[in-house]
Amino acid sequence: MPFYLKDQYPILSGEVTEPRKGIWHAQFNIDGPDPIIGELTHFIIYDTRWDGRITRGGVYAGQRYVYIEGGKGDLRGILPAKDYQQQPVRIPCQDILSKFNMSLATVNDSVVNQRLTTWVRSQAAASNQLSQLVSHFGDYYWRILPDSTFRVFNNEQNYAQKIFTEFTDYQLMNFDPVWKKYEIALGG
């Protein structure tokens, strides 16, 4: 069964990495024209649709490849400083994410509903601003989910691990239990 990037380009091989913290990324060898950098794309693994954007691509060693990062925008972008008074955490989160056409996951996380008495966002990369914001209340971190939404997690809570069932078309190459990082090889 062939796999396709954005339902157009056959995926010949590759891997997907979903780190415990931060942004997931994937690299695929594809069959088709050069990918367009910055273009939004998607692929499906085990009935999970992964939405992201192409950040690199071209030809290397005679094979066409594409590198995809989760999210609709580049969270490395610098945003100006801003002051928030008496707001729930979700307001500055949404403010930062909206600059990159992204949104919060629909899951009702307790930390995003907590109220800030005051928080000053320093001029920095959006990813750093988000890390500072969610760690304000303790041992929390954020991750971009496969659907390109943003979610906050508590470092002390043990979340259920999603283990992929191995079919002949997929192979789990490596799983790091500390970082909860999966590397998956795809084959057609």
Side-chain angles (χ1 to χ4, degrees):
M1 175 175 122
F3 302 98
Y4 292 91
L5 182 65
K6 203 172 181 180
D7 301 326
Q8 304 175 51
Y9 310 116
I11 296 174
L12 305 175
S13 64
E15 64 183 33
V16 178
T17 302
E18 184 180 24
R20 184 168 183 254
K21 300 177 181 182
I23 302 170
W24 65 264
H25 54 276
Q27 182 170 335
F28 299 122
N29 290 325
I30 60 170
D31 185 18
D34 280 340
I36 300 170
I37 307 302
E39 182 179 55
L40 297 180
T41 190
H42 66 269
F43 56 93
I44 297 173
I45 297 178
Y46 296 112
D47 298 328
T48 300
R49 180 178 160 135
W50 298 72
D51 293 308
R53 63 184 171 46
I54 298 172
T55 58
R56 291 191 301 268
V59 177
Y60 178 74
Q63 294 237 325
R64 193 167 315 281
Y65 79 96
V66 63
Y67 190 85
I68 304 165
E69 289 184 0
K72 296 179 181 175
D74 187 358
L75 292 178
R76 291 178 291 247
I78 306 293
L79 293 180
K82 189 170 182 180
D83 183 38
Y84 296 89
Q85 302 288 326
Q86 299 299 324
Q87 299 288 326
V89 173
R90 79 175 131 52
I91 299 299
C93 274
Q94 287 173 337
D95 190 27
I96 294 168
L97 293 169
S98 68
K99 307 286 191 234
F100 302 96
N101 296 321
M102 295 173 65
S103 61
L104 286 167
T106 56
V107 176
N108 190 10
D109 293 315
S110 62
V111 72
V112 297
N113 292 320
Q114 291 190 34
R115 189 165 287 282
L116 295 163
T117 52
T118 184
W119 184 67
V120 178
R121 179 176 93 188
S122 60
Q123 182 172 343
S127 59
N128 291 352
Q129 292 174 346
L130 290 166
S131 294
Q132 290 172 358
L133 178 61
V134 300
S135 66
H136 186 76
F137 288 102
D139 200 9
Y140 292 94
Y141 63 94
W142 60 270
R143 178 169 58 216
I144 299 298
L145 302 178
D147 64 357
S148 283
T149 57
F150 172 92
R151 182 165 177 208
V152 176
F153 294 88
N154 184 339
N155 220 7
E156 297 172 1
Q157 187 173 347
N158 186 13
Y159 296 94
Q161 295 180 14
K162 181 178 182 181
I163 302 293
F164 295 114
T165 307
E166 292 187 31
F167 295 127
T168 57
D169 295 329
Y170 302 94
Q171 183 178 359
L172 181 62
M173 300 302 290
N174 185 33
F175 172 69
D176 184 337
V178 175
W179 290 101
K180 291 191 169 60
K181 178 180 169 182
Y182 298 94
E183 290 181 9
I184 300 165
L186 304 176

